[in-house]
Amino acid sequence: EHTFFHEFMKRVQRSHRSVFLMTETQAQMEQLTDYLKEVYSDKIRLCGGYVIEECMGDVEDVVNEINSVMPHVILSLLPTPMQENFIYGHRKMLNAKVWFGIGEDNAVLSVKPSPRKLYRKLIVRRKMKQQIQNYETTDDGE
């Protein structure tokens, strides 16, 4: 169920880290940004993105764009040989702390939170709200 990816993204979200997106096509970029907004509800700090097929000049322009926004994490949907070649060729120039490569496998993006997890969140939220209300009413009466 891609638990590591989801836990990693939750940690990025809690730590208020910036994320730079890298994809091969514009369709992948749209899919990735829509997924992150839907699942993590705009709490992921996206600082930029780059679509490789739109690269007009040198690939080092991509490195310059990444370094200009100084992201903590680069989230990549590049295909396997392209991603490894890019990292190997530019690893000394990239200032990002983490490169998280998903690859072309969009199975990570198709996983939505299960209804059971959403139901548990609602129950926990309701219990917390009730506890706060109980605390406030007992505090006011004394």
Side-chain angles (χ1 to χ4, degrees):
E1 294 182 9
H2 306 287
T3 305
F4 181 78
F5 173 76
H6 294 292
E7 291 300 319
F8 177 77
M9 292 307 291
K10 285 179 189 176
R11 185 168 190 141
V12 167
Q13 179 182 359
R14 280 191 309 266
S15 303
H16 305 288
R17 302 294 184 200
S18 57
V19 178
F20 188 90
L21 306 177
M22 239 177 122
T23 62
E24 185 179 22
T25 65
Q26 184 62 37
Q28 287 176 332
M29 180 65 76
E30 290 170 7
Q31 181 185 14
L32 183 58
T33 53
D34 290 345
Y35 174 80
L36 291 174
K37 287 179 182 180
E38 180 182 337
V39 174
Y40 301 102
S41 65
D42 292 330
K43 293 182 182 175
I44 296 290
R45 205 174 109 212
L46 298 177
C47 64
Y50 202 88
V51 178
I52 294 294
E53 74 178 4
E54 295 176 0
C55 181
M56 295 296 181
D58 197 8
V59 180
E60 290 172 1
D61 292 340
V62 179
V63 175
N64 290 336
E65 188 167 336
I66 291 170
N67 288 337
S68 69
V69 293
M70 298 184 328
H72 292 94
V73 177
I74 298 172
L75 193 58
S76 168
L77 274 177
L78 298 178
T80 298
M82 181 187 292
Q83 181 168 233
E84 283 79 8
N85 291 337
F86 186 88
I87 294 170
Y88 183 75
H90 302 94
R91 69 184 181 276
K92 293 180 182 177
M93 293 183 275
L94 290 170
N95 292 331
K97 304 274 185 209
V98 177
W99 179 290
F100 196 108
I102 299 173
E104 281 182 299
D105 180 24
N106 293 343
V108 171
L109 304 182
S110 65
V111 175
K112 305 282 190 236
S114 69
R116 176 180 274 175
K117 287 182 181 179
L118 292 174
Y119 180 73
R120 284 184 187 166
K121 271 187 172 180
L122 289 174
I123 294 295
V124 167
R125 192 176 291 168
R126 183 179 170 109
K127 284 182 180 179
M128 180 65 99
K129 193 174 187 178
Q130 286 175 345
Q131 288 176 346
I132 291 171
Q133 286 175 347
N134 288 340
Y135 176 77
E136 288 175 349
T137 56
T138 57
D139 193 35
D140 291 339
E142 293 179 7

